[in-house]
Amino acid sequence: KAGVTQTPRYLIKTRGQQVTLSCSPISGHRSVSWYQQTPGQGLQFLFEYFSETQRNKGNFPGRFSGRQFSNSRSEMNVSTLELGDSALYLCASSLDALLGARGNTIYFGEGSWLTVV
Amino acid sequence: DQQVKQNSPSLSVQEGRISILNCDYTNSMFDYFLWYKKYPAEGPTFLISISSIKDKNEDGRFTVFLNKSAKHLSLHIVPSQPGDSAVYFCAASWGAQKLVFGQGTRLTINP
């Protein structure tokens, strides 16, 4: 079965611009979460969506937003880009709960590499 | 506030020897712990997990140990193989809340 698909894989943006990243979860998965990976910070949770509703949110400024569509596909948007937003953005999907435990496992996409110049 | 910490950014181990990756946490509410492995240009993949009611879980060459009193968990890989070279993330969760990840440890297995 197809895995988690993220687009675009690589992109370069200028400070002040905005960017939209897309994630298609595994078929049948209704939970989609987003993470930011930077050197030294590990994976930091951005937000999680389930059935088009944001269920959990991390400690990121309001410039970071997301949404989920009825087909479970999700997008995240970063407005007014800053140099510090340069990172690998990872999307993960799971059947239901965000946990990788209790019978659920979360599956990650390959990520979208964002470089802000 | 880093609730899950991996204090060693890198680790180098000889092929065939044991690799021990460590992780500390501060939140006593965490009740489930996981390890993920990440190769360059790929997303993290689930490796092994452990519930807080256990102190050890084994899966082939991989064993995770949990010391709740010390708020410490470790991943043992025996024997280490070149294909184990990757970045390893520990993660923790409680209830139906988000996963909290550590900073990652880059493991290099030397032939």
Side-chain angles (χ1 to χ4, degrees):
Chain A
K1 83 183 172 182
V4 180
T5 305
Q6 291 188 245
T7 57
R9 289 295 315 279
Y10 304 92
L11 67 166
I12 299 174
K13 289 285 188 178
T14 305
R15 265 186 308 174
Q17 286 186 311
Q18 65 129 23
V19 66
T20 299
L21 308 177
S22 179
C23 172
S24 293
I26 292 171
S27 177
H29 284 193
R30 295 165 67 190
S31 169
V32 174
S33 53
W34 289 88
Y35 292 84
Q36 181 195 65
Q37 184 188 358
T38 54
Q41 292 295 317
L43 291 164
Q44 295 191 291
F45 175 79
L46 281 154
F47 26 67
E48 186 246 347
Y49 287 87
F50 180 80
S51 293
E52 303 178 66
T53 300
Q54 187 181 90
R55 288 199 301 192
N56 277 301
K57 190 175 187 306
N59 297 322
F60 278 81
R63 300 186 295 108
F64 292 81
S65 63
R67 59 177 175 168
Q68 186 180 33
F69 302 95
S70 57
N71 61 358
S72 293
R73 190 177 71 84
S74 177
E75 288 181 348
M76 69 161 280
N77 184 279
V78 188
S79 62
T80 320
L81 284 166
E82 301 175 0
L83 296 178
D85 297 332
S86 295
L88 174 66
Y89 290 88
L90 290 160
C91 166
S93 78
S94 67
L95 276 170
D96 187 351
L98 185 59
L99 298 176
R102 299 178 177 84
N104 286 326
T105 299
I106 67 172
Y107 298 87
F108 284 86
E110 294 179 331
S112 293
W113 282 98
L114 170 65
T115 300
V116 182
V117 297
Chain B
D1 176 29
Q2 194 75 29
Q3 296 186 68
V4 178
K5 295 181 184 179
Q6 293 176 258
N7 292 315
S8 298
S10 63
L11 176 67
S12 188
V13 174
Q14 206 73 20
E15 182 179 355
R17 298 286 192 98
I18 182 171
S19 294
I20 300 176
L21 296 102
N22 294 305
C23 180
D24 297 298
Y25 62 95
T26 57
N27 191 337
S28 57
M29 295 294 290
F30 287 140
D31 61 358
Y32 219 91
F33 304 88
L34 308 93
W35 285 94
Y36 282 82
K37 177 179 179 179
K38 185 179 184 299
Y39 292 118
E42 293 184 13
T45 54
F46 172 76
L47 193 56
I48 192 169
S49 64
I50 187 168
S51 163
S52 61
I53 63 172
K54 295 185 175 181
D55 53 19
K56 177 182 173 181
N57 189 25
E58 200 169 346
D59 183 3
R61 296 185 299 113
F62 302 91
T63 303
V64 56
F65 294 92
L66 175 63
N67 182 334
K68 287 188 291 295
S69 60
K71 293 192 178 68
H72 176 84
L73 69 155
S74 60
L75 173 68
H76 293 210
I77 306 174
V78 182
S80 299
Q81 300 174 353
D84 296 330
S85 294
V87 177
Y88 289 79
F89 292 97
C90 69
S93 67
W94 76 101
Q97 303 301 315
K98 60 182 184 286
L99 279 173
V100 180
F101 284 85
Q103 305 95 312
T105 296
R106 182 178 301 279
L107 175 65
T108 302
I109 305 301
N110 302 308

